[in-house]
Amino acid sequence: MVQKKSVLDFVPHLILLAGILVLAFPVYVAFVASTWDAATISNGTMPLRPGPHFLDNYYRAIFVGTSSSTREPVGQMMLNSLVMALCISLGKIAISLISAFAIVYFRFPFRMAAFWIIFVTLMLPVEVRIYPTYKIVADLKLLDTFAGLTIPLIASATATLLFRQFFMTVPDELVEASRIDGAGPMKFFKDTLLPLSITSVAAMFVIQFIYGWNQYLWPLLITTRDDMQTIVIGIKKMIVTQDALTEWQLAMATAILAMLPPVVVVVVMQKLFVKGLTETEK
Amino acid sequence: MNNVHLRHVGKVYAGNVEAVRDVSIEIDDGQFCVLVGPSGCGKSTLLRMVAGLETITSGEIAIGDTVVNDKDPSERDIAMVFQNYALYPHMSVYDNMAYGLRNRGTPKAEIETRVQEAARILELGALLERKPKALSGGQRQRVAMGRAIVRKPRVFLFDEPLSNLDAKLRIQMRVEIKKLQRSLGITSIYVTHDQLEAMTLADVLVVMNKGRVEQSGSPMSLYERPKTTFVASFIGAPPMNLLPLTGGDMPGLSLFSRPQGEKIVLGVRPEHLELSSPGNEGHPLALDLLVTATEAVGAESYLYGALGGAGQEVIVRVNGSSTVAAGETVRVTASARHLHFFDGASGQRIDGE
């Protein structure tokens, strides 16, 4: 029995280790590449251990930028990405909370119609409606602005549905108790519903922050100026160069940097995230 | 004056479902009124109409001298205790009780004194900082009561507040609610489906059935003179024996006199039937029963017997030391004042004497 158990324990661990290896090895190679100089990488003999140029490369990436394709320092790109991801995730959460609140707690004409229209937009992500959306943003003169970058991505059926589902599990008696306690609808929302939704909000924030951070197509269309460009586009521009040598060490450093904020968000919010998706508090 | 008047109150839901029909009840200042009935009889709907959580389709509800039909729950000066307590899960016990007062702009010092006082009355002092999640069922119930008390409302409303508690705690809380209501002297309306709770708590007992008031009055008057077969079978445990009388002789039953009429139902409570020796004549009612089962609950026992050996089932309460066993035949008798007669068709009481 003991023997069998240890074998059974060993097999899943083996599988997990293999999985980790497959996932982590490319990241490790990218990290190693970001610590050597350009010559070592391009002559194809880069060793699998970190090199001596860690500080140089990261300093240059963050504050100076590459010398050829995009001359924008990565620091600025990260800031742009951060602003975009935060605007999208917080905007989505704010709008979805309010619309879910309206749909669940108010009886107004065409309530279900409104709900279904929101539901249907699930089938229409930005990629599908990219031309009309671009036209509207361009006509509103919002190209190369954060408003143009984020507003079209804020409307969100996913978050509305999640919050609706959560609100429907909140017992009606709480609403009634609030009414008797003299709390109006908005006071109920602020004092009772919002504090109860904290874990769902956190889960939504994690998902939407990563969604916003990873945006590629839309920022590519909307931003033309280098100082508005986001880090995901920056990496791409660094790699594809017309006539100069790709500065791989900087591109890899940028890739590692681009990975960090989502990782931080996930690590910090992990507990709340899991709670928000699995637990119904009450 | 904090009396509550319900005048011809009705509630019709969408789709023409009549939940409450023409209910009129008068509850005096400081009285404890209990609405009791089977599930779906409209008692909770009626309570929620008083609270303002349901609209009133017809009729009028007044608290004191004010008609409150169109008033918001918060303007009616009522406090409600819910079946599942409805405590705010993210607030401490203290905040749960203080929330309503804060919303009304009560000064901080006043809130503090009121909450502390309620906590003292309900023995919640040590729990004020806890969240509802960390409390037992009974403690949550107390917090829900505390939330009602601190408001010092004109009317308390209770919606089956004890049904989530275990049997022992329920009895204990029942006594406490009664004491509390007496000492605070606040007019109360209490909804329950438990007739024992209803009997013990009520000053005014209202039995409801199918959206209507079957009978209202003091608990003992309903027990002693039920107006309908429904009330007769609902109030009292085990329920009153109801025997439909056929025109001719019934085996095992001898009845001195009966009201005129085709279909008559005779009612007699298990506790009013007494064992008597066979052949003993001259009782207003005598029943010969073949005992089919016995139930000993300690101080007393219940005999389940078939009338005349094979007829209708009759329950008899006997002393706990009784040695009657299943299979025996017994004769039970009752005196005239314990006999109730009802019209078989309408279920209405017939007062013959």
Side-chain angles (χ1 to χ4, degrees):
Chain A
M1 263 323 262
V2 177
Q3 187 68 26
K4 202 177 168 195
K5 190 165 183 281
S6 66
V7 170
L8 278 180
D9 274 356
F10 180 68
V11 172
H13 276 99
L14 207 67
I15 296 170
L16 284 175
L17 277 172
I20 289 169
L21 216 61
V22 168
L23 282 175
F25 186 67
V27 177
Y28 177 72
V29 171
F31 173 72
V32 169
S34 71
T35 59
W36 290 94
D37 55 36
T40 319
I41 300 170
S42 45
N43 71 18
T45 58
M46 186 188 82
L48 271 181
R49 60 185 159 78
H53 296 284
F54 175 79
L55 288 178
D56 289 2
N57 289 345
Y58 280 85
Y59 177 82
R60 261 198 69 202
I62 294 172
F63 297 106
V64 185
T66 52
S67 46
S68 54
S69 56
T70 161
R71 255 156 260 117
E72 201 55 34
V74 175
Q76 177 65 38
M77 293 184 206
M78 286 186 84
L79 197 65
N80 292 343
S81 278
L82 189 71
V83 170
M84 179 177 74
L86 282 178
C87 283
I88 290 176
S89 47
L90 296 179
K92 269 178 189 285
I93 288 169
I95 294 227
S96 307
L97 272 173
I98 294 167
S99 48
F101 180 56
I103 282 171
V104 175
Y105 287 101
F106 293 86
R107 300 281 164 272
F108 52 90
F110 307 113
R111 186 175 68 96
M112 282 320 279
F115 172 69
W116 283 108
I117 289 170
I118 292 174
F119 196 81
V120 161
T121 61
L122 267 183
M123 288 184 276
L124 299 170
V126 173
E127 289 78 5
V128 177
R129 54 185 161 90
I130 200 147
Y131 176 71
T133 311
Y134 180 84
K135 174 93 173 89
I136 290 169
V137 170
D139 286 352
L140 290 172
K141 308 237 179 322
L142 290 176
L143 297 179
D144 276 325
T145 63
F146 280 115
L149 203 51
T150 55
I151 289 172
L153 296 174
I154 280 179
S156 172
T158 340
T160 310
L161 288 180
L162 185 115
F163 288 132
R164 171 180 178 266
Q165 244 30 55
F166 172 74
F167 289 169
M168 296 205 325
T169 67
V170 173
D172 288 343
E173 281 86 351
L174 277 186
V175 188
E176 290 169 354
S178 291
R179 283 181 68 189
I180 291 174
D181 272 340
M186 288 325 283
K187 208 160 166 44
F188 166 71
F189 181 70
K190 182 172 79 68
D191 287 351
T192 306
L193 209 51
L194 218 48
L196 288 178
S197 322
I198 282 298
T199 52
S200 315
V201 167
M204 224 50 236
F205 178 77
V206 172
I207 295 172
Q208 302 300 354
F209 183 87
I210 292 170
Y211 166 85
W213 184 269
N214 288 343
Q215 279 304 312
Y216 178 71
L217 185 60
W218 186 247
L220 191 65
L221 279 175
I222 291 300
T223 58
T224 53
R225 293 201 329 256
D226 274 357
D227 66 334
M228 275 303 293
Q229 135 191 306
T230 61
I231 193 163
V232 179
I233 292 168
I235 296 171
K236 166 85 170 126
K237 282 196 181 167
M238 280 180 192
I239 293 171
V240 183
T241 48
Q242 300 299 323
D243 41 11
L245 212 58
T246 301
E247 290 174 273
W248 280 107
Q249 79 283 18
L250 296 188
M252 288 302 116
T254 311
I256 295 289
L257 287 171
M259 220 178 63
L260 290 180
V263 168
V264 169
V265 166
V266 169
V267 168
V268 170
M269 311 276 276
Q270 194 200 16
K271 256 200 184 138
L272 278 175
F273 177 73
V274 174
K275 250 186 168 177
L277 289 187
T278 56
E279 196 184 82
T280 45
E281 195 182 346
K282 269 170 276 67
Chain B
M1 285 298 283
N2 297 325
N3 43 1
V4 179
H5 291 274
L6 282 72
R7 298 186 194 101
H8 306 291
V9 173
K11 172 78 188 176
V12 181
Y13 280 113
N16 247 346
V17 183
E18 264 195 299
V20 174
R21 291 180 221 189
D22 193 25
V23 169
S24 298
I25 305 172
E26 307 265 309
I27 305 159
D28 287 338
D29 191 16
Q31 269 191 330
F32 201 120
C33 169
V34 177
L35 306 177
V36 66
S39 54
C41 72
K43 56 190 191 299
S44 279
T45 309
L46 193 62
L47 186 79
R48 292 163 56 80
M49 284 159 79
V50 176
L53 298 171
E54 298 274 357
T55 55
I56 300 162
T57 314
S58 60
E60 199 175 79
I61 294 179
I63 297 175
D65 300 325
T66 335
V67 175
V68 294
N69 279 30
D70 297 321
K71 289 209 168 167
D72 224 43
S74 58
E75 297 166 1
R76 295 189 182 192
D77 208 0
I78 46 126
M80 188 155 169
V81 177
F82 293 88
Q83 180 175 359
N84 65 1
Y85 322 129
L87 300 176
Y88 307 114
H90 57 292
M91 294 187 196
S92 68
V93 168
Y94 184 96
D95 290 335
N96 260 290
M97 293 203 263
Y99 186 64
L101 295 175
R102 284 192 193 129
N103 286 342
R104 280 179 173 67
T106 316
K108 256 213 167 93
E110 169 84 18
I111 294 178
E112 176 73 23
T113 28
R114 286 213 207 170
V115 172
Q116 291 298 348
E117 195 195 336
R120 188 182 52 76
I121 295 172
L122 295 165
E123 295 163 25
L124 287 170
L127 307 173
L128 284 176
E129 296 310 316
R130 294 232 198 135
K131 293 273 170 68
K133 214 193 283 179
L135 301 177
S136 69
Q139 288 167 336
R140 288 182 203 186
Q141 186 58 59
R142 283 164 202 270
V143 177
M145 300 273 299
R147 189 165 66 177
I149 292 173
V150 293
R151 295 257 315 278
K152 299 191 175 163
R154 303 177 78 173
V155 183
F156 274 149
L157 304 174
F158 298 91
D159 190 4
E160 307 205 20
L162 302 183
S163 51
N164 283 2
L165 301 177
D166 62 64
K168 202 174 164 191
L169 206 53
R170 201 178 307 163
I171 296 171
Q172 191 189 331
M173 287 302 290
R174 190 173 78 204
V175 176
E176 280 184 37
I177 287 178
K178 177 96 177 176
K179 275 196 222 155
L180 201 63
Q181 195 269 344
R182 281 277 169 279
S183 65
L184 297 173
I186 293 176
T187 314
S188 302
I189 306 178
Y190 187 107
V191 161
T192 180
H193 59 259
D194 183 325
Q195 66 90 20
L196 193 64
E197 235 172 81
M199 288 291 285
T200 49
L201 286 172
D203 295 320
V204 183
L205 184 55
V206 179
V207 178
M208 291 188 68
N209 184 28
K210 293 177 186 156
R212 277 208 195 87
V213 173
E214 285 274 335
Q215 188 177 1
S216 66
S218 76
M220 279 318 279
S221 72
L222 265 66
Y223 174 80
E224 280 163 1
R225 289 179 62 82
K227 254 180 152 160
T228 62
T229 49
F230 179 84
V231 178
S233 60
F234 202 84
I235 299 295
M240 184 186 279
N241 296 301
L242 294 170
L243 303 171
L245 301 178
T246 46
D249 274 354
M250 285 172 75
L253 180 139
S254 69
L255 187 59
F256 218 65
S257 69
R258 52 169 282 184
Q260 294 304 307
E262 267 299 291
K263 287 178 163 175
I264 300 290
V265 175
L266 164 70
V268 57
R269 294 196 180 275
E271 53 269 42
H272 294 147
L273 288 168
E274 282 172 21
L275 287 175
S276 146
S277 50
N280 190 351
E281 298 298 327
H283 288 281
L285 173 76
L287 303 171
D288 291 316
L289 304 175
L290 172 67
V291 178
T292 54
T294 63
E295 245 179 19
V297 292
E300 58 207 33
S301 297
Y302 299 107
L303 306 180
Y304 293 78
L307 185 63
Q312 232 198 314
E313 180 168 88
V314 174
I315 308 174
V316 183
R317 190 186 75 175
V318 295
N319 198 290
S321 57
S322 158
T323 55
V324 179
E328 290 180 37
T329 306
V330 293
R331 164 160 284 211
V332 292
T333 58
S335 55
R337 66 191 174 93
H338 289 140
L339 300 185
H340 309 265
F341 293 100
F342 302 96
D343 182 84
S346 65
Q348 294 293 317
R349 182 183 188 85
I350 301 167
D351 281 317
E353 67 272 26

